[in-house]
Amino acid sequence: MSGAGFDMTTMGTVLPRFEHHVSIDPGVKDAWGIPALHITQRYTDNEYEMAKDSMNVARSCAAAPDSK
């Protein structure tokens, strides 16, 4: 079918690391007055490589099959 389209989303896992943590931020409160969470984490080369791989797999899944 010509002109058809679709959306695709990929998701990955961030590996647990000692530096990743969640704490309560007493200075920031939500609309109900509950202290907000402060999340500390960072992506490493591993996560960036996994993201690139997931995009390559998605591209491969979406590609037209070879005609034989």
Side-chain angles (χ1 to χ4, degrees), residues 1 8 12 14 16 19 21-22 24-25 27-28 31-32 35 37-38 42 44-45 49 52-53 58 62 64 67-68:
M1 174 189 269
M8 183 182 292
V14 176
E19 300 84 15
H21 60 273
V22 177
I24 294 176
D25 188 336
V28 179
W32 296 273
L37 293 178
H38 178 77
R42 68 178 179 88
T44 64
D45 290 343
E49 291 301 319
K52 281 195 272 186
D53 181 58
S67 298
K68 293 187 179 189

Side-chain angles (χ1 to χ4, degrees), residues 13-56:
T13 301
V14 176
L15 296 176
R17 299 195 194 310
F18 177 78
E19 300 84 15
H20 297 176
H21 60 273
V22 177
S23 60
I24 294 176
D25 188 336
V28 179
K29 298 189 184 332
D30 67 12
W32 296 273
I34 298 170
L37 293 178
H38 178 77
I39 300 169
T40 303
Q41 72 98 135
R42 68 178 179 88
Y43 295 135
T44 64
D45 290 343
N46 183 69
E47 284 79 26
Y48 289 115
E49 291 301 319
M50 286 193 305
K52 281 195 272 186
D53 181 58
S54 71
M55 294 309 297
N56 290 334

